[in-house]
Amino acid sequence: MSYSRKDLIGMIDLSKEEILHLLDTAEKFREINHRDVKKVPTLKGKTVVNLFFENSTRTRTSFEIAGKRLSADTVNFSASASSTAKGETLIDTVHNIEAMSTDIFVVRHAYSGAVKFIAENTKASVVNAGDGLNEHPTQSLLDMLTIKQHKGRLEGLNVAIIGDITHSRVARSNIWAMPRLGINLRLFGPKTMLPLCTDPFGVKICGNMEEAVEGADVIMTLRIQRERQGKLLIPSVKEYARYFGLNAARLRLSNNAIVMHPGPINRGVEISSEIADCGQSVILPQVESGVAVRMAVLYTLGTGQRGIE
Ligand code: CP
């Protein structure tokens, strides 16, 4: 089965076959990123608009690079420099940009559900680049692509996600997607940052750091999402690092694990510098996978899946 949807809003919607189709397409695009001339004409004549109402380094840059490598015209919209500040509504903004014959919106917004709302109000394709604490589907796809690259498979792997699970759209997208592909998911973090119940999703909540890390094939740490927390959920950053940070002693419990982080990392808090830069860390390969995944998503939505040239 291929991917025939207009939009990519969340991993919650996708079947195993649709996820595998996007991952297979991304694997084919990897090679283009290593050519001398990193460009194919696939999206020539299409216009991709990056509509970012929240800050971003990796996602916005890689969507722009992905669009350019597919020969699309890419436009970056920055909320702080737009007429949003003069009171224009979200949908009016979208309709005005759509009136310029744009084809794909890549949207990041602080409100959960804002991207779906846009998708329901435009004929253009819409990609969720992160909406509030809801979902970040292309991050989940690039996480799985990176795991497959380093472990050779997804089925049957033990993946531990550690940190601020409740406020993380990355965790939420992976919780929807990974078990669908046969991954055993474990979660650990402060009780104030963990979901109360994950049984319906087939995800295990661990009681301590050792239980989460021991025997894991992949350890993914997350930063504290302060911008989405209404109140202080931990006594101090120092104590968080002591009880929930990934360091060399803890990583020794799983010598074969790869270490992941969606970024931005806070060195010395959720992950020590020593671990962020060690041989087991695939944090930068995750960023590399992001370009291939975003090429695959733009290509799939923008072309109806013509062949890769
Ligand atoms: N992982 C991620 O979404 O990073 P940015 O916020 O820099 O885009």
Side-chain angles (χ1 to χ4, degrees), residues 55-60 108 136 139 262-264:
N55 294 344
S56 169
T57 296
R58 282 146 289 271
T59 312
R60 195 171 88 160
R108 172 169 287 190
H136 193 349
Q139 179 70 43

